[in-house]
Amino acid sequence: MTEKERAELNEIFDKLVQLSDGLYANLGFQMLGEADVINCNDPEEQALFQEFQKIFDWIKILVPIILIVMGVFDFGKAVLASDEKAIKQAQGKFIKRIIIALIIFLLPTIIEILFNILRDNTNIKVNDPLCGVK
Protein backbone atom coordinates (compact mmCIF):
# COMPACT_ATOMS: atom_id res chain seq x y z
CA MET A 1 0.00 0.00 0.00
CA THR A 2 1.40 3.35 -1.01
CA GLU A 3 1.52 6.39 1.25
CA LYS A 4 -1.11 8.10 -0.87
CA GLU A 5 -3.50 5.15 -0.49
CA ARG A 6 -2.82 5.02 3.25
CA ALA A 7 -3.54 8.76 3.55
CA GLU A 8 -6.80 8.33 1.62
CA LEU A 9 -7.86 5.46 3.88
CA ASN A 10 -7.05 7.52 6.98
CA GLU A 11 -9.11 10.40 5.60
CA ILE A 12 -12.06 8.08 4.94
CA PHE A 13 -11.74 6.61 8.43
CA ASP A 14 -11.71 10.09 9.98
CA LYS A 15 -14.88 10.98 8.06
CA LEU A 16 -16.54 7.76 9.28
CA VAL A 17 -15.61 8.60 12.87
CA GLN A 18 -17.12 12.07 12.45
CA LEU A 19 -20.31 10.54 11.00
CA SER A 20 -20.57 8.03 13.84
CA ASP A 21 -20.11 10.81 16.41
CA GLY A 22 -22.97 12.71 14.79
CA LEU A 23 -25.09 9.55 14.69
CA TYR A 24 -24.49 8.92 18.39
CA ALA A 25 -25.49 12.47 19.21
CA ASN A 26 -28.65 12.15 17.09
CA LEU A 27 -29.60 8.88 18.79
CA GLY A 28 -29.18 10.45 22.22
CA PHE A 29 -26.07 8.64 23.41
CA GLN A 30 -23.98 10.73 25.73
CA MET A 31 -20.40 11.50 24.85
CA LEU A 32 -18.46 11.18 28.08
CA GLY A 33 -14.92 12.40 27.57
CA GLU A 34 -13.02 9.66 25.82
CA ALA A 35 -15.63 6.92 26.27
CA ASP A 36 -19.13 6.48 24.89
CA VAL A 37 -21.38 4.69 27.35
CA ILE A 38 -24.66 2.84 26.96
CA ASN A 39 -26.05 2.45 30.46
CA CYS A 40 -28.31 -0.62 30.63
CA ASN A 41 -29.18 0.22 34.25
CA ASP A 42 -30.79 3.55 33.32
CA PRO A 43 -34.59 3.10 33.64
CA GLU A 44 -35.28 4.97 30.39
CA GLU A 45 -32.82 2.86 28.42
CA GLN A 46 -34.11 -0.32 30.08
CA ALA A 47 -37.65 0.54 28.97
CA LEU A 48 -36.44 1.25 25.44
CA PHE A 49 -34.53 -2.01 25.15
CA GLN A 50 -37.47 -3.95 26.66
CA GLU A 51 -39.66 -2.54 23.88
CA PHE A 52 -37.04 -3.56 21.31
CA GLN A 53 -37.10 -7.08 22.80
CA LYS A 54 -40.91 -7.27 22.54
CA ILE A 55 -40.81 -6.10 18.92
CA PHE A 56 -38.04 -8.53 18.07
CA ASP A 57 -39.94 -11.40 19.78
CA TRP A 58 -42.93 -10.67 17.53
CA ILE A 59 -40.67 -10.53 14.49
CA LYS A 60 -39.22 -13.95 15.42
CA ILE A 61 -42.76 -15.35 15.44
CA LEU A 62 -44.10 -13.60 12.33
CA VAL A 63 -41.12 -14.05 9.98
CA PRO A 64 -41.32 -17.87 9.80
CA ILE A 65 -45.11 -17.77 9.43
CA ILE A 66 -44.90 -15.25 6.59
CA LEU A 67 -42.05 -17.22 5.01
CA ILE A 68 -44.09 -20.45 5.02
CA VAL A 69 -47.29 -18.81 3.76
CA MET A 70 -45.54 -16.99 0.92
CA GLY A 71 -43.58 -20.14 0.00
CA VAL A 72 -46.71 -22.28 -0.10
CA PHE A 73 -48.50 -19.65 -2.17
CA ASP A 74 -45.64 -19.27 -4.69
CA PHE A 75 -45.00 -23.01 -5.02
CA GLY A 76 -48.72 -23.80 -5.19
CA LYS A 77 -49.25 -21.26 -7.95
CA ALA A 78 -46.27 -22.64 -9.89
CA VAL A 79 -47.34 -26.28 -9.48
CA LEU A 80 -50.92 -25.54 -10.51
CA ALA A 81 -49.60 -23.81 -13.62
CA SER A 82 -47.48 -26.92 -14.35
CA ASP A 83 -44.70 -24.63 -15.50
CA GLU A 84 -41.13 -25.77 -14.81
CA LYS A 85 -39.83 -22.22 -15.20
CA ALA A 86 -42.34 -20.90 -12.65
CA ILE A 87 -41.30 -23.63 -10.19
CA LYS A 88 -37.65 -22.63 -10.55
CA GLN A 89 -38.56 -18.96 -10.03
CA ALA A 90 -40.59 -19.85 -6.92
CA GLN A 91 -37.63 -21.84 -5.63
CA GLY A 92 -35.30 -18.86 -6.19
CA LYS A 93 -37.70 -16.51 -4.38
CA PHE A 94 -38.00 -18.95 -1.49
CA ILE A 95 -34.24 -19.26 -1.10
CA LYS A 96 -33.86 -15.45 -1.10
CA ARG A 97 -36.59 -15.16 1.55
CA ILE A 98 -34.86 -17.79 3.70
CA ILE A 99 -31.61 -15.82 3.50
CA ILE A 100 -33.41 -12.60 4.46
CA ALA A 101 -35.10 -14.41 7.38
CA LEU A 102 -31.74 -15.70 8.59
CA ILE A 103 -30.27 -12.20 8.46
CA ILE A 104 -33.23 -10.91 10.50
CA PHE A 105 -32.74 -13.64 13.11
CA LEU A 106 -29.00 -13.00 13.27
CA LEU A 107 -29.33 -9.20 13.43
CA PRO A 108 -28.66 -8.94 17.20
CA THR A 109 -25.59 -11.15 16.82
CA ILE A 110 -24.35 -9.10 13.86
CA ILE A 111 -24.82 -5.85 15.80
CA GLU A 112 -23.02 -7.32 18.81
CA ILE A 113 -20.09 -8.43 16.64
CA LEU A 114 -19.85 -4.96 15.08
CA PHE A 115 -19.87 -3.32 18.52
CA ASN A 116 -17.17 -5.75 19.71
CA ILE A 117 -15.03 -4.79 16.73
CA LEU A 118 -15.64 -1.10 17.47
CA ARG A 119 -14.92 -1.64 21.18
CA ASP A 120 -11.60 -3.32 20.36
CA ASN A 121 -10.53 -0.64 17.88
CA THR A 122 -11.93 2.56 19.46
CA ASN A 123 -12.58 4.06 22.85
CA ILE A 124 -16.17 2.80 23.11
CA LYS A 125 -16.65 1.00 26.42
CA VAL A 126 -19.71 -1.24 26.07
CA ASN A 127 -20.01 -4.79 27.36
CA ASP A 128 -23.58 -5.45 26.21
CA PRO A 129 -24.48 -3.05 23.37
CA LEU A 130 -28.05 -4.38 23.06
CA CYS A 131 -28.72 -4.52 26.83
CA GLY A 132 -29.92 -8.10 26.69
CA VAL A 133 -31.91 -8.02 23.43
CA LYS A 134 -31.49 -11.42 21.80
Side-chain angles (χ1 to χ4, degrees):
M1 178 180 288
T2 66
E3 287 298 320
K4 183 179 179 183
E5 292 171 335
R6 185 169 289 142
E8 288 174 358
L9 284 176
N10 284 335
E11 185 179 326
I12 291 170
F13 180 75
D14 290 341
K15 287 180 182 179
L16 286 174
V17 168
Q18 289 172 351
L19 286 173
S20 69
D21 288 346
L23 179 63
Y24 275 168
N26 289 337
L27 291 175
F29 292 113
Q30 294 178 330
M31 307 297 260
L32 301 174
E34 292 190 6
D36 301 335
V37 178
I38 298 173
N39 185 2
C40 295
N41 296 326
D42 180 25
E44 290 178 8
E45 289 186 24
Q46 277 183 344
L48 176 68
F49 282 104
Q50 286 174 352
E51 289 301 315
F52 283 153
Q53 183 65 56
K54 287 178 188 175
I55 292 168
F56 197 68
D57 287 343
W58 276 104
I59 289 172
K60 288 192 283 188
I61 293 168
L62 292 175
V63 165
I65 292 170
I66 292 170
L67 180 69
I68 291 168
V69 168
M70 291 178 79
V72 167
F73 179 74
D74 287 341
F75 278 113
K77 189 169 68 171
V79 169
L80 288 176
S82 299
D83 184 10
E84 192 68 33
K85 185 178 177 184
I87 293 173
K88 293 256 187 220
Q89 286 177 340
Q91 182 182 16
K93 282 182 183 179
F94 190 66
I95 290 171
K96 288 177 188 176
R97 289 178 183 151
I98 289 174
I99 292 169
I100 291 169
L102 286 174
I103 291 171
I104 290 171
F105 276 99
L106 294 174
L107 196 59
T109 304
I110 293 168
I111 291 171
E112 196 167 324
I113 289 170
L114 290 174
F115 264 95
N116 287 337
I117 291 170
L118 283 173
R119 182 185 62 208
D120 294 341
N121 295 313
T122 64
N123 57 353
I124 296 175
K125 308 295 183 221
V126 178
N127 291 330
D128 186 8
L130 297 175
C131 293
V133 175
K134 297 287 179 207

